[in-house]
Amino acid sequence: MKVLGCKDVGVECDFVAKGKTVDDVLKKTAAHAKTHHGIKRLTKDYLDSWKKRVHNE
Ligand SMILES: [Zn+2]
């Protein structure tokens, strides 16, 4: 399983996205960031920095 949590990117939040692929995890993280953290525009910078922190569980 690929995993990325808000804490992994320095945000105080218990959300953890899990998925079979990195893209899967990024998609879930993007949806969460939009609804819970008010990030309206997902720039490439966001996605790149998240991608780097996705790890295996
Ligand atoms: Zn969060």
Side-chain angles (χ1 to χ4, degrees), residues 6 11 13 15 32 37:
C6 281
V11 178
C13 171
F15 176 81
H32 170 80
H37 298 293

Side-chain angles (χ1 to χ4, degrees), residues 6-26:
C6 281
K7 284 197 174 109
D8 295 326
V9 293
V11 178
E12 258 325 299
C13 171
D14 286 330
F15 176 81
V16 178
K18 293 180 186 183
K20 278 183 190 153
T21 64
V22 172
D23 279 351
D24 220 17
V25 171
L26 289 179

